[in-house]
Amino acid sequence: TQTEQETSTSLTVPVTPGVQQYHPSAAKAWVSCNNAGAAETSYNVASVTDTATGVATVNLTVSFSGSTYAVISQSDGAGGGVTCYCTSRSTGSFVLSSFNTLSQAAQDSNRNFAVAFGDQ
């Protein structure tokens, strides 16, 4: 059940695909996207919005219960020096920002990757 997965204390209860996502160790959302608003592949992502140079907002299908979830992200590098990080989180979306560490400026990345963990 959802409750059994969220408490994650049983060593004998089998996990079925319909409730696996409730376990604390399960990724609740993930995406491979570009800054132009296109998600190549994703889970629990309704859309990606290009909000500025180097900034993409990932809108979730199922919201988190609070804004204290973890987002791990990275960039494909876009020619070198570009890094991607999460700059803000709300229950229904998170923002990915790409920054070129060589030029010290926001820069669109060819591709960003992100995964989010937390309680929904």
Side-chain angles (χ1 to χ4, degrees):
T1 66
Q2 179 176 346
T3 301
E4 290 169 327
Q5 288 302 300
E6 288 177 343
T7 58
S8 64
T9 57
S10 175
L11 299 175
T12 59
V13 174
V15 179
T16 59
V19 296
Q20 185 274 332
Q21 74 270 17
Y22 298 115
H23 194 276
S25 68
K28 302 305 189 293
W30 53 264
V31 66
S32 172
C33 64
N34 63 30
N35 282 78
E40 297 175 325
T41 185
S42 65
Y43 172 74
N44 191 32
V45 172
S47 64
V48 179
T49 306
D50 179 8
T51 48
T53 299
V55 181
T57 300
V58 178
N59 303 295
L60 302 170
T61 305
V62 177
S63 296
F64 282 89
S65 60
S67 61
T68 58
Y69 56 93
V71 176
I72 302 166
S73 59
Q74 79 176 58
S75 167
D76 68 354
V82 177
T83 186
C84 175
Y85 51 95
C86 179
T87 54
S88 70
R89 298 164 297 178
S90 68
T91 57
S93 65
F94 57 89
V95 177
L96 298 176
S97 295
S98 299
F99 186 79
N100 189 311
T101 58
L102 303 174
S103 66
Q104 297 292 299
Q107 177 181 324
D108 285 341
S109 174
N110 294 331
R111 189 169 292 109
N112 291 324
F113 312 95
V115 61
F117 296 90
D119 184 51
Q120 288 183 309

